[in-house]
Amino acid sequence: MALNAFTVDVEDWFHICGVDDRLPPSAWDRLESRVVPTTRALLEDLAAAGHRGTFLVVGWVAERFPALIGEVHAAGHEIGLHGHWHRRVYDMSPTQFRDDLRQNIDALRAAGAGPIVTFRAPEWSLNQRAPWALSILVEEGLRLDASRAPVARVGSAAFPRRPYPIATAAGALLELPPLVGRLAGHAVPLGWGWGLRKAEPSAVVEAIAANNRQGDPAVLTVHPWEIDPAPPRVRLPAPLAFSHYYRLSGFRTRLREVLAGAEFGPLCELPDAAAWLRA
Ligand SMILES: [Zn+2]
């Protein structure tokens, strides 16, 4: 059984929350898509390391590149949801969120995704600003959520750091938080984003091992655009520019070292998640 989970948020370089003024969905079809070769590169690196993972896919990507979803499914990875239009949950109404979720599910089913039980919100946005969304996930058939980052700003440092159930009016979900580290006394990203790109691979591997010694899994998250050798860039507000462009150089090489240093599988096969899904 997998001790840790490796997850990929399958989106293109232009799927960035909160910048509808410069990268509106109406413009996406005219931009150069790079999600297929970069997702394939991650599939190759996972296969070389002997791991499977969970690919959380933006519905827009599944509609345009259904063959890619078939490749991910055929390689034995779990497929889950990352929003149809990659919108922050707290920017939508409950009705808009449900419609987006259904579009996302339909696009993935049409592409041959297999059973879908797992959701991850764009930009960790199923947080304290959108508690109403949890019951909608349950009502739409989801069992696992990986959307609540235990760090300030995008989530809350008060969120638990190991898998935990969340009760909703419609039933319960199992929440699977991403790996955090500490910097100057604060919880910071370590298993994703700028924190994963900043860290030396040996430090990430040691943090994963420390979690495992306590009986806890580590959940890592990457995006296909993070391993793009020459990603197209747009001018972004400073926090977004940092989270999207900081230390991309050499990341694929460092990520391979992390993959070689621990055992990974899909979210649904973490011991807590497997027991949850059997119950
Ligand atoms: Zn995303």
Side-chain angles (χ1 to χ4, degrees):
M1 195 168 279
L3 288 177
N4 305 294
F6 189 84
T7 71
V8 180
D9 292 352
V10 182
E11 61 192 38
D12 229 312
W13 63 270
F14 44 79
H15 292 134
I16 303 172
C17 293
V19 291
D20 274 5
D21 55 334
R22 59 204 86 183
L23 291 169
S26 58
W28 292 352
D29 276 317
R30 296 193 299 275
L31 299 168
E32 181 203 353
S33 172
R34 298 168 75 104
V35 70
V36 172
T38 47
T39 301
R40 282 196 181 130
L42 285 168
L43 288 171
E44 286 166 16
D45 289 353
L46 281 168
H51 303 312
R52 289 173 300 118
T54 296
F55 286 65
L56 300 137
V57 185
V58 168
W60 184 93
V61 171
E63 278 184 343
R64 272 141 195 92
F65 308 107
L68 180 68
I69 309 314
E71 286 173 44
V72 173
H73 182 60
H77 303 286
E78 180 190 8
I79 293 177
L81 309 176
H82 191 47
H84 193 80
W85 293 103
H86 199 258
R87 295 181 65 195
R88 292 178 184 131
V89 176
Y90 55 74
D91 284 343
M92 291 186 269
S93 70
T95 301
Q96 287 172 326
F97 176 64
R98 191 187 297 275
D99 289 347
D100 185 90
L101 207 57
R102 288 180 175 176
Q103 265 189 291
N104 198 176
I105 292 169
D106 288 348
L108 282 169
R109 290 227 173 100
I116 295 168
V117 296
T118 308
F119 176 77
R120 171 173 290 134
E123 211 182 74
W124 312 102
S125 59
L126 206 169
N127 55 21
Q128 60 277 29
R129 296 174 67 178
W132 49 263
L134 291 161
S135 60
I136 295 176
L137 290 181
V138 177
E139 286 165 6
E140 298 301 319
L142 297 158
R143 308 286 314 281
L144 306 175
D145 179 63
S147 303
R148 291 161 86 82
V151 297
R153 205 180 76 79
V154 294
S156 167
F159 288 161
R161 298 182 184 185
R162 73 169 322 284
Y164 59 101
I166 302 178
T168 83
L173 281 165
L174 187 69
E175 183 65 35
L176 302 166
L179 177 67
V180 296
R182 291 198 79 74
L183 188 67
H186 296 282
V188 293
L190 182 60
W192 80 98
W194 64 266
L196 179 58
R197 300 197 301 269
K198 178 184 199 298
E200 289 310 309
S202 58
V204 179
V205 168
E206 175 48 37
I208 293 169
N211 260 34
N212 293 167
R213 282 194 295 272
Q214 294 184 337
D216 294 343
V219 174
L220 266 57
T221 297
V222 302
H223 301 87
W225 48 262
E226 291 181 284
I227 62 155
D228 194 330
R233 293 187 182 206
V234 290
R235 186 183 291 270
L236 295 172
L240 278 176
F242 185 70
S243 64
H244 278 262
Y245 302 145
Y246 172 75
R247 207 180 180 213
L248 294 171
S249 176
F251 181 58
R252 187 178 180 187
T253 303
R254 297 195 297 281
L255 186 60
R256 285 180 180 143
E257 288 182 47
V258 173
L259 287 171
E263 190 188 327
F264 295 99
L267 288 167
C268 65
E269 292 182 20
L270 289 172
D272 292 87
W276 181 261
L277 294 172
R278 274 196 307 271

